[in-house]
Amino acid sequence: MSTSDSRSKRTLIVAALLVLVLSQYANAAQLRGRLIFQNGAAAAGFAVTVYSQAMGRSAPSFTDGAGMYYVNIPPGSYYLEVWISRDPRVAPRVYPIQVGEPYTDIPPIVVG
């Protein structure tokens, strides 16, 4: 095999991998929501994950100073998991959600 054939194969493999990786983002939707306390104040620093049997659990997104969280995932049916306790042994509050493109807004959730 010549050096140019080897380079061509490597280029083709890298291009194919790039297409696979980018195709995941082509079907992505943004999930947006807000966590608040009973008095209406923003609930900052809480972890939120999204779960489906097909994809498993997403990486956590943490609420910002306004209580907002953002998760990029493919459209579909999921369970929104709100981790109220800092103790990972305590189960999260779970809400069934449907995510669509280009974004889905979840009504505010009261955490305490």
Side-chain angles (χ1 to χ4, degrees):
M1 181 182 298
S2 72
T3 305
S4 65
D5 287 344
S6 179
R7 278 191 209 142
S8 294
K9 280 187 177 182
R10 271 195 303 246
T11 302
L12 186 59
I13 290 170
V14 168
L17 289 173
L18 187 59
V19 167
L20 286 174
V21 168
L22 292 178
S23 68
Q24 293 176 353
Y25 294 104
N27 292 328
Q30 185 178 65
L31 172 66
R32 306 183 295 199
R34 185 168 188 238
L35 302 184
I36 58 174
F37 292 111
Q38 292 220 353
N39 66 3
F46 285 86
V48 175
T49 54
V50 177
Y51 175 82
S52 78
Q53 200 167 18
M55 89 166 199
R57 180 170 285 129
S58 71
S61 173
F62 291 89
T63 56
D64 62 15
M68 295 294 297
Y69 60 87
Y70 305 89
V71 181
N72 291 316
I73 54 175
S77 296
Y78 296 93
Y79 292 99
L80 177 69
E81 301 174 319
V82 179
W83 299 84
I84 302 301
S85 174
R86 307 272 187 224
D87 184 345
R89 296 173 295 181
V90 176
R93 288 189 192 168
V94 179
Y95 305 89
I97 59 170
Q98 183 67 39
V99 177
E101 289 185 292
Y103 59 86
T104 298
D105 289 329
I106 302 295
I109 295 174
V110 177
V111 295

